[in-house]
Amino acid sequence: MPEATRQGTTVGGVEFGPEGNGGGRVIAEEELARLVAAAQAGDRASLDRLLVRLRPVVMRRCSRFLPHHADAEEAAQDALLSISTHLHEYGGRGSFLGWVTVIASNAARSTYRSMRRRAEDSHAVVPEGVDPRTTSVIAGTRLDLMESLAALEERHPALVESFVLRDLGDLTYLQVAEITGAPLGTVKDRIHQARRFMRDRLGGGV
């Protein structure tokens, strides 16, 4: 059953509501399932409606990594294209919105890496004290978070996915276990280790 909130409805750990779906309607879990099934069957109109419903969710996920709107928008567009292209690969195992979160998170991190390469190629200088909400491209990212994630991926690659899904994707431990295929205890241990690593890197908290 969806969980009611003051702003809308939470389905699979993701909130849908007046602000979230762009049309003032709450998307029901059953409607989402119907749209996915119809889109997988080749109904283009259903695919278009599904992407419209998912866009605010994808934007929120990308904004956790990339708080500057234009950067998150770039990542969200890539994520929605990937969802459209690979929708047939979703086989119903685990939460569909969890699957969407994986794609959105990967798109945001890929966008960050791409922006960083562009900045390095152009010898751009990142100014100090910038406001990430109003500063574009590489200066608009959570440099501290993204650099720490890169270090975590380099040193402890097995911990990254669980941490990203739980603490940045807001999925439950059970949903993370479903997506990663790992036992619940293993997932909790990975997240605990990742949080400790990130706290040390970020000087007190994520």
Side-chain angles (χ1 to χ4, degrees), residues 7-23:
Q7 296 176 318
T9 296
T10 299
V11 179
V14 180
E15 181 184 294
F16 290 86
E19 179 184 14
N21 63 26

Side-chain angles (χ1 to χ4, degrees), residues 2 5 14 18 25 38 45 49 61 64 66 83 106-107 111 118 129-130 137 155 167-168 175 181 186 192 196 199:
T5 70
V14 180
R25 294 178 58 245
R49 286 196 295 273
R61 292 291 174 261
R64 296 294 296 273
L66 308 166
I83 290 168
N106 288 340
T111 296
R118 276 182 255 158
V130 298
V137 195
R155 299 180 192 180
D167 283 15
L168 297 174
Q175 289 171 326
T186 299
H192 174 74
R196 184 170 57 190
R199 277 196 299 268

Side-chain angles (χ1 to χ4, degrees), residues 21-196:
N21 63 26
R25 294 178 58 245
V26 172
I27 182 171
E29 190 172 6
E30 294 79 8
E31 181 186 0
L32 181 63
R34 285 197 302 270
L35 288 174
V36 171
Q40 287 182 322
D43 185 345
R44 181 68 198 187
S46 292
L47 175 61
D48 291 342
R49 286 196 295 273
L50 178 64
L51 295 177
V52 168
R53 297 292 195 274
L54 292 177
R55 188 179 186 284
V57 177
V58 171
M59 273 295 294
R60 283 197 293 273
R61 292 291 174 261
C62 292
S63 295
R64 296 294 296 273
F65 296 88
L66 308 166
H68 179 61
H69 182 80
D71 300 342
E73 181 79 30
E74 179 178 336
Q77 291 298 331
D78 288 345
L80 290 169
L81 177 61
S82 183
I83 290 168
S84 174
T85 303
H86 298 285
L87 185 62
H88 66 281
E89 297 176 7
Y90 173 70
R93 177 179 172 274
S95 163
F96 174 70
L97 290 174
W99 182 77
V100 168
T101 293
V102 172
I103 291 177
S105 300
N106 288 340
R109 294 169 65 200
S110 177
T111 296
Y112 164 75
R113 288 191 288 265
S114 176
M115 289 191 304
R116 184 167 184 81
R117 284 194 298 270
R118 276 182 255 158
E120 290 172 348
D121 290 344
S122 63
H123 305 290
V125 176
V126 178
E128 296 182 2
V130 298
D131 184 342
R133 295 165 299 178
T134 58
T135 307
S136 63
V137 195
I138 195 70
T141 53
R142 285 280 318 267
L143 286 174
D144 53 350
L145 173 62
M146 301 304 286
E147 292 298 331
S148 296
L149 274 176
L152 178 65
E153 189 167 30
E154 179 180 348
R155 299 180 192 180
H156 308 288
L159 308 182
V160 176
E161 184 177 21
S162 294
F163 172 77
V164 167
L165 292 176
R166 176 71 182 104
D167 283 15
L168 297 174
D170 294 329
L171 300 186
T172 67
Y173 289 108
L174 283 173
Q175 289 171 326
V176 175
E178 285 183 350
I179 291 169
T180 60
L184 183 60
T186 299
V187 165
K188 289 183 176 180
D189 182 63
R190 287 173 178 173
I191 293 169
H192 174 74
Q193 291 184 57
R195 285 173 176 168
R196 184 170 57 190

